[in-house]
Amino acid sequence: MTTATTSLDSSRARTTAVLRRRGRRDLLKHLGLGVFVLLMLYPLIWMIVSSLKPDHLILTEPGLIPSEVTFDNFVAGWNALNRPFSVFFLNSLLVTVGSIIGNLFSCSLTAYALARLEFRMRGVYLAITLLSVMLPMHVLVIPQYIFFSQLDLVNTYYPLLIPKFLATDAFFIYLMVQFIRTIPRDLDRAAWIDGSGPFRTFWYVVLPLMRPALVTTTIFTFIWTWNDFFVPLIYLTSPKMFTVPVALNSMVDSETQGGVGMLFAMSLVSLLPVLIFFAIAQKQLIRGIATTGLK
């Protein structure tokens, strides 16, 4: 009995020691992650604090605890460009929603054709689609601008929306192709036996099962389009048509309405839709990415 008791106590002591070491490692791991998160969030926190400071304190008082708080930056920034900032929000919303609809429609159709339909050189078309992912966007800027300029579409939203309806985002095509390949072909065959054609099979059978991939496409398109600065800057010349990033850039260039705090305040406001949208849809995003990677 004494030997058994001693062995049991020794085993408990070893288990306790192991748990303590594991607990210390977990504590250090969480502390390290906490420090990393603070470092990543510091610029955002500093921008929030700076948006609540008067202009003369933003650069002279770099701390995170302001000695003076004001909301004048939000009031001034909202009307800084001779029109309410809500105009630019509506412009960005129009472009973003149109881009989402275009990507969902065109990329899903293209992905279905590449993943399910049998036609000559299908593998070549898929390879070209994947290669276009590695093609820098800036290579296409000049020919696209010349093309839309000859069509007299500069300073309209058509150059921002037409490419979305032509399945130019190869990343989403590849993502949907990978997802469609996980859907059993027996469902397609059953629909064909019942007399459904390719489009009817896609619309009523495959598309409803593609929800995770469609949600992922929606989230990424929203974030990328809402934050896009380069393409709208090229095509939009009229201030009343500016999207939010272009309007913020115009605010930087403004000499008569100057104010760093005003810029920070409007930058913070422009971030809110992205943060809210991501917070609402993050579970769907993770589920969509995880499901898309399954075979």
Side-chain angles (χ1 to χ4, degrees):
M1 291 293 293
T2 304
T3 304
T5 302
T6 303
S7 176
L8 181 60
D9 292 341
S10 177
S11 177
R12 287 177 177 174
R14 287 196 300 270
T15 303
T16 302
V18 170
L19 292 176
R20 286 178 178 175
R21 287 196 297 269
R22 185 177 300 174
R24 286 194 292 268
R25 286 198 301 268
D26 291 342
L27 178 60
L28 292 175
K29 184 189 300 183
H30 285 85
L31 287 176
L33 290 175
V35 172
F36 180 75
V37 169
L38 287 177
L39 290 176
M40 294 295 294
L41 292 179
Y42 179 80
L44 178 61
I45 297 173
W46 188 82
M47 184 179 71
I48 295 173
V49 174
S50 298
S51 66
L52 298 173
K53 293 180 181 179
D55 284 341
H56 67 279
L57 293 179
I58 292 177
L59 299 179
T60 59
E61 188 182 85
L64 295 180
I65 301 178
S67 60
E68 183 179 349
V69 176
T70 179
F71 292 95
D72 293 341
N73 294 326
F74 292 90
V75 177
W78 191 260
N79 299 290
L81 298 177
N82 299 322
R83 53 180 51 85
F85 207 79
S86 57
V87 172
F88 311 121
F89 267 90
L90 292 176
N91 295 340
S92 288
L93 186 62
L94 173 63
V95 174
T96 301
V97 172
S99 299
I100 291 174
I101 295 174
N103 272 342
L104 292 178
F105 176 76
S106 62
C107 293
S108 60
L109 278 174
T110 305
Y112 176 74
L114 294 174
R116 283 292 201 261
L117 303 185
E118 299 292 339
F119 54 91
R120 294 180 59 185
M121 300 181 65
R122 184 182 66 168
V124 175
Y125 291 135
L126 180 59
I128 293 174
T129 301
L130 296 180
L131 287 175
S132 66
V133 176
M134 297 178 283
L135 188 66
M137 179 191 66
H138 305 82
V139 175
L140 304 175
V141 167
I142 295 177
Q144 282 185 352
Y145 184 85
I146 294 174
F147 174 76
F148 286 116
S149 178
Q150 291 177 345
L151 294 177
D152 197 23
L153 294 178
V154 176
N155 198 33
T156 68
Y157 295 130
Y158 291 110
L160 308 181
L161 297 176
I162 289 177
K164 304 299 182 181
F165 285 86
L166 298 178
T168 58
D169 286 331
F171 171 78
F172 299 125
I173 297 175
Y174 176 69
L175 183 144
M176 293 184 185
V177 166
Q178 292 298 100
F179 187 87
I180 293 174
R181 286 175 175 174
T182 66
I183 301 175
R185 285 182 176 269
D186 294 341
L187 298 176
D188 297 45
R189 297 189 184 99
W192 295 340
I193 292 173
D194 290 339
S196 295
F199 184 79
R200 189 178 180 88
T201 301
F202 162 76
W203 188 259
Y204 289 104
V205 178
V206 177
L207 189 63
L209 299 176
M210 291 175 57
R211 181 183 175 187
L214 297 177
V215 170
T216 303
T217 300
T218 300
I219 295 172
F220 277 117
T221 302
F222 178 88
I223 295 175
W224 292 349
T225 306
W226 185 272
N227 292 327
D228 187 20
F229 166 72
F230 185 68
V231 176
L233 178 67
I234 293 174
Y235 290 107
L236 302 179
T237 57
S238 175
K240 66 179 181 180
M241 301 190 68
F242 284 172
T243 57
V244 169
V246 181
L248 290 175
N249 180 70
S250 300
M251 198 174 294
V252 173
D253 294 338
S254 176
E255 296 180 358
T256 59
Q257 308 283 346
V260 181
M262 178 181 65
L263 175 63
F264 285 156
M266 291 300 99
S267 298
L268 180 61
V269 172
S270 68
L271 280 177
L272 291 179
V274 178
L275 295 176
I276 294 173
F277 186 81
F278 185 80
I280 295 174
Q282 61 177 337
K283 290 184 179 180
Q284 294 290 338
L285 173 63
I286 296 172
R287 186 182 307 167
I289 294 175
T291 308
T292 304
L294 295 178
K295 279 287 187 180

